């Protein structure tokens, strides 16, 4: 290909989905000349699947993105149609915010943010080649022959990389929503020696609102109290604008699906890629959960300016005529008009074991991966990786150490650690159960955990930092006041306690101790707490959680401290093949992944507790040997200069 030099950048970001937007914004905001390439400007921050942000564990990630200085939380708040806090019946560790977003407005918000960001150029072009010189990225080349020299590149290709769509017997090379796929770039990455694999995902149909009989469906309204994702959003400014609905499949639906399984490309073996276990198609559900008489589906609006509705929970790759049959078998959807059929899409992605924890590839210096390219699923997981990749590409160019978040301080850290030490045999989806530190990683304390990192990285401005410090001071001051202030028995207080099913007071009690009772909440005690200051609701919520779960939190902090100690034990200079006592599988896994610490090694599948003990003994042996060597050197007199008698040691 004949190429010409178009424009030089510090960082090139390939793909303008949720990962690419966060990566490009972070890099540009950190002062790097950045180019963001997309096959279509109309697909910037597109939501080709569910038009929502957040959900179980994903809501935690959005809060963490915001705490680090990312954009997704602000965009989700600004384009919200409906807000709900999931898992309210469970403990605060698993409360997860989810909003239904206006798909078009979300795209417009993020595109405008990218367009107006200083130092960031948004370019519609297909990148077909990443050029490498002496083992490092040197430029990105487009299909039109334009070459853009750069010092680092971030691959955020989503499902475009050699994408292929399936609807029954029909298939075609395609990206999401009819965009053309990125085939030449996929060939280029294989030629560079990157270990690529094939994954698959699916998306449900979109249907016309006018064809739905809502009178036969359950209404799912939003929450009365709307909690924002971003600390920059005024809670009082948010309003629910639309409702969602719930429908159910039935035995007739399942009969239609079972009778046509042979026409499903997934079950027929036509699809090569591995699909997400935790987001199965309706065919998967019917087969895997054959004893269930019905499956729930959610009918969700795509936006205020469209009558498209999304059938959440009904992804499928069955033929279009079969889709029509089983949709029409569902109560309320008997006359539904399908505007976009459901489809499956398979695509290329990298084996994430080929990434450092910084998300830089081990094969090519300065080449980073983010989002579905790294083997994940979900907008939120993608945006989180994009943010980290953008930060670390910038820090690489500045000669600074990368941002590596620990498992005990963020779900983002857990996500990246899982990918780079355990790999992904299927599209990775974040769940609260993936973290061993769930009580430490709550939504309400994401700012406390990560905003100092965002400030250190350079993404948290002075105003945001000042407000953060004020909220932290309010929280700590109120916790101390509750620990030292008491309340005396009274008729009103005891009546409240008896009404809530807990013992009345016979003597005075510290407010913190009273608040630890499961039946008592912070807001209910307000009439009996005369010294209470006026606090923002979010601060009050955090205070209550910290006090109620103090014992459990301290226990998890102790566990995290021990793991941090292990993570501080570096393995970088060890020759695993030479360590006696390691099992063959452990040697192979350790040599392939090259974990940087003992803590990282502990997360590798195939490395047993016995193997970790062997590594600890080897590290201890080396430390002792190093200490003995240093002691000998201190005791040994310095050699005399050439031609001179060695001086006597001082007495």
């Amino acid at each position: 290909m004949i190429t010409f030099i178009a424009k030089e950048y510090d960082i090139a970001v390939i793909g303008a989905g949720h990962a690419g937007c966060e990566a490009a914004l972070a890099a540009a905001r950190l002062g790097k000349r950045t180019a963001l390439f997309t096959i279509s400007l109309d697909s910037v921050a597109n939501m080709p699947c569910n038009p929502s942000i957040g959900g179980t564990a994903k809501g935690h990630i959005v809060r963490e993105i915001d705490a680090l200085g990312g954009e997704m939380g602000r965009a989700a708040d600004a384009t919200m149609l409906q807000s709900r806090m999931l898992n309210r019946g469970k403990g605060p560790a698993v409360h997860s915010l989810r909003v239904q977003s206006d798909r078009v407005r979300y795209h417009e918000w993020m595109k405008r943010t990218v367009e107006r960001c200083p130092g960031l150029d948004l370019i519609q072009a297909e990148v077909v080649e990443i050029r490498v010189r002496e083992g490092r990225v040197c430029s990105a080349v487009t299909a039109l022959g334009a070459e853009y020299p750069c010092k680092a590149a971030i691959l955020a290709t989503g499902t475009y990389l050699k994408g292929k769509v399936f609807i029954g017997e029909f298939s075609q090379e395609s990206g999401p929503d009819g965009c053309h796929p990125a085939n030449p770039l996929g060939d280029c990455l294989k030629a560079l020696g990157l270990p690529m694999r094939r994954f698959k995902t699916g998306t449900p149909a979109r249907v016309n609102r006018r064809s739905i009989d809502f009178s036969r469906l359950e209404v799912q309204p939003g929450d009365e109290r709307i909690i924002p994702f971003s600390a920059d959003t005024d809670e009082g400014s948010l309003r629910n604008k639309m409702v969602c609905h719930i429908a159910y499949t039935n035995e007739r639906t399942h009969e239609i699906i079972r009778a046509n399984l042979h026409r499903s490309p997934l079950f027929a073996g036509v699809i090569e890629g591995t699909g997400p276990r935790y987001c199965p198609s309706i065919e998967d559900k019917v087969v895997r959960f054959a004893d269930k008489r019905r499956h729930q589906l959610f009918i969700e609006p795509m936006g205020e300016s469209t009558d498209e509705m999304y059938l959440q929970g009904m992804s499928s790759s069955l033929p279009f005529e079969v889709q029509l049959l089983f949709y029409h078998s569902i109560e309320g959807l008997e006359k539904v008009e399908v505007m976009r059929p459901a489809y499956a899409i398979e695509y290329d992605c990298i084996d994430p074991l080929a990434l450092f924890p910084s998300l830089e590839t081990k094969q090519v210096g300065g080449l980073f991966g983010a989002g579905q390219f790294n083997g994940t699923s979900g907008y939120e997981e993608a945006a989180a990786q994009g943010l980290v990749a953008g930060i670390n590409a910038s820090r690489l160019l500045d000669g600074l150490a990368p941002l590596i978040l620990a498992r005990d301080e963020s779900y983002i850290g857990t996500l990246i650690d899982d990918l780079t030490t355990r790999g992904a045999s299927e599209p990775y989806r974040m769940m609260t159960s993936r973290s061993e530190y769930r009580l430490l990683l709550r939504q309400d304390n994401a700012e406390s955990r990560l905003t100092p990192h965002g400030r250190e990285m350079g993404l948290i401005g002075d105003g945001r930092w000042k407000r953060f410090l004020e909220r932290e001071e309010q929280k700590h001051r109120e916790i101390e006041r509750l620990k030292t202030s008491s309340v005396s028995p009274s008729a009103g207080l005891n009546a409240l306690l008896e009404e809530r099913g807990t013992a009345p007071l016979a003597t005075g009690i510290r407010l913190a101790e009273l608040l630890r009772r499961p039946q008592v909440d912070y807001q209910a005690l307000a009439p009996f707490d005369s010294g209470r200051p006026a606090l923002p609701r979010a601060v009050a919520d955090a205070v209550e959680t910290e006090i109620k779960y103090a014992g459990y939190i301290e226990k998890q902090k102790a566990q995290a401290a021990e793991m941090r100690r292990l993570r501080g034990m570096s393995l970088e200079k060890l020759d695993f093949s030479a360590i006696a006592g390691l099992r063959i599988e452990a040697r192979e896994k350790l040599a392939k992944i090259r974990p940087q610490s003992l803590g990282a090694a502990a997360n590798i599948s195939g490395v047993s507790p016995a193997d970790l003990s062997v590594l600890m003994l080897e590290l201890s042996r080396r430390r002792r040997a190093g200490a003995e060597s240093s002691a000998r050197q201190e005791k040994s007199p310095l050699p005399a200069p050439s031609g001179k008698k060695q001086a006597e040691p001082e007495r």
Side-chain angles (χ1 to χ4, degrees), residues 61 64-65 68 351-360 362 368-371 374 376 380-392 402-407 409-424 428-430 434 450 567 593 596 600 603-604:
I61 291 178
E64 292 180 352
I65 291 168
L68 287 168
D351 180 349
L353 293 178
L355 302 169
F356 291 113
S358 64
L359 298 182
E360 184 182 16
K362 296 175 181 178
F368 292 75
N374 289 353
T376 60
E380 302 81 4
E381 291 91 338
Q385 293 170 76
L387 177 60
V388 171
I391 290 171
N392 285 337
L403 170 67
I404 308 293
L405 298 172
R407 294 181 69 91
E409 65 181 345
S410 67
Y411 275 98
I412 296 176
T414 303
L415 162 68
I416 294 175
D417 188 64
D418 280 350
L419 289 173
T420 57
T421 62
R422 300 178 182 178
Y428 180 103
R429 178 182 179 179
M430 178 51 69
R434 293 194 187 272
L450 296 179
R567 285 189 174 277
I593 298 172
Q596 297 178 323
N603 293 322
I604 298 175

Side-chain angles (χ1 to χ4, degrees), residues 143-445:
L144 298 179
E147 182 174 359
Y148 296 86
C150 58
K151 301 169 187 174
I154 301 172
L155 295 166
T157 50
T159 60
Y160 285 82
L161 202 60
K162 299 185 82 70
K164 191 173 185 179
V165 162
F166 296 84
I167 304 174
E169 295 85 0
F170 168 83
S171 67
Q172 69 177 10
E173 293 183 345
S174 175
D177 282 336
C179 289
H180 68 81
N183 289 339
L185 181 60
D187 296 331
C188 168
L189 298 179
K190 288 181 180 178
L192 289 176
L194 298 180
M196 306 300 289
R197 53 176 52 178
R198 199 81 170 147
F199 275 179
K200 164 259 177 188
T201 189
T203 189
R206 273 73 161 178
V207 300
N208 196 310
R209 172 189 294 274
R210 71 186 181 193
S211 63
I212 300 171
D213 185 354
F214 290 103
S215 67
R216 304 176 69 186
L217 304 179
E218 294 180 18
V219 178
Q220 187 183 52
D223 292 341
E224 288 186 15
R225 180 195 171 193
I226 302 177
I227 299 173
F229 273 122
S230 176
D232 287 335
T233 303
D234 175 17
E235 181 175 327
S237 67
L238 301 178
R239 297 287 184 275
N240 286 308
K241 299 175 182 177
M242 304 184 79
V243 298
C244 298
H245 292 81
I246 300 174
Y248 296 91
T249 64
N250 51 56
E251 189 52 44
R252 175 59 183 154
T253 315
H254 301 175
E255 287 175 2
I256 294 169
I257 291 170
R258 282 193 291 265
N260 288 278
L261 284 176
H262 64 285
R263 301 186 66 190
S264 166
L266 178 65
F267 286 88
V270 176
I271 292 179
E272 302 172 14
T274 304
R277 184 189 322 176
Y278 302 104
C279 189
S281 66
I282 188 61
E283 301 98 282
D284 289 329
K285 292 178 184 178
V286 169
V287 171
R288 287 165 52 187
F289 309 106
D291 57 321
K292 294 198 69 172
R293 298 183 62 185
R294 66 178 190 173
H295 294 282
Q296 194 176 54
L297 63 140
F298 299 89
I299 302 176
E300 301 170 332
M302 298 286 287
E304 289 186 280
S305 61
T306 178
D307 280 343
E308 273 191 272
M309 304 292 286
Y310 180 85
L311 301 184
Q312 165 71 353
M314 290 288 284
S315 65
S316 176
S317 61
L318 283 166
F320 184 40
E321 66 269 27
V322 178
Q323 292 184 35
L324 291 175
L325 285 174
F326 70 68
Y327 292 142
H328 291 162
S329 72
I330 297 170
E331 186 174 359
L333 303 184
E334 291 88 349
K335 298 180 180 180
V336 77
E337 299 167 4
V338 176
M339 300 174 73
R340 308 190 202 204
Y343 64 87
I345 183 169
E346 64 175 15
Y347 54 94
D348 278 2
C349 57
I350 194 172
D351 180 349
L353 293 178
L355 302 169
F356 291 113
S358 64
L359 298 182
E360 184 182 16
T361 64
K362 296 175 181 178
Q363 283 85 353
V364 180
L367 182 62
F368 292 75
Q372 286 180 282
F373 177 78
N374 289 353
T376 60
S377 69
Y379 309 145
E380 302 81 4
E381 291 91 338
Q385 293 170 76
L387 177 60
V388 171
I391 290 171
N392 285 337
S394 302
R395 292 179 70 81
L396 177 69
L397 300 190
D398 290 337
L400 299 173
L403 170 67
I404 308 293
L405 298 172
R407 294 181 69 91
D408 65 296
E409 65 181 345
S410 67
Y411 275 98
I412 296 176
T414 303
L415 162 68
I416 294 175
D417 188 64
D418 280 350
L419 289 173
T420 57
T421 62
R422 300 178 182 178
S425 58
E426 62 187 47
Y428 180 103
R429 178 182 179 179
M430 178 51 69
M431 297 173 289
T432 53
S433 60
R434 293 194 187 272
S435 173
E436 59 272 45
Y437 304 111
R438 288 188 292 279
L439 263 179
L440 301 183
L441 308 183
R442 307 183 311 276
Q443 284 192 135
D444 63 82
N445 69 354

Side-chain angles (χ1 to χ4, degrees), residues 2-69:
I2 299 175
T3 62
F4 66 96
I5 301 299
K7 186 175 180 180
E8 185 174 348
Y9 292 96
D10 294 319
I11 297 173
V13 181
I14 294 87
H18 303 279
C21 287
E22 293 288 356
L25 287 169
R29 288 166 176 170
L30 292 175
K32 300 295 174 285
R33 294 169 300 164
T34 306
L36 176 57
F37 294 96
T38 177
I39 285 178
S40 171
L41 290 177
D42 296 327
S43 63
V44 172
N46 184 31
M47 293 180 170
C49 196
N50 195 1
S52 70
I53 298 293
T56 303
K58 296 169 178 282
H60 293 69
I61 291 178
V62 181
R63 282 280 180 83
E64 292 180 352
I65 291 168
D66 181 71
L68 287 168

Side-chain angles (χ1 to χ4, degrees), residues 540-556:
D541 290 346
V543 166
E544 180 173 351
T545 301
E546 292 280 350
I547 287 177
K548 278 189 177 295
Y549 296 90
Y552 299 102
I553 290 170
E554 289 305 314
K555 184 177 180 180
Q556 286 208 342

Side-chain angles (χ1 to χ4, degrees), residues 69-81:
E71 193 65 31
M72 177 173 265
R74 285 191 288 267
D77 289 340
T79 61
M80 182 201 80
L81 297 174

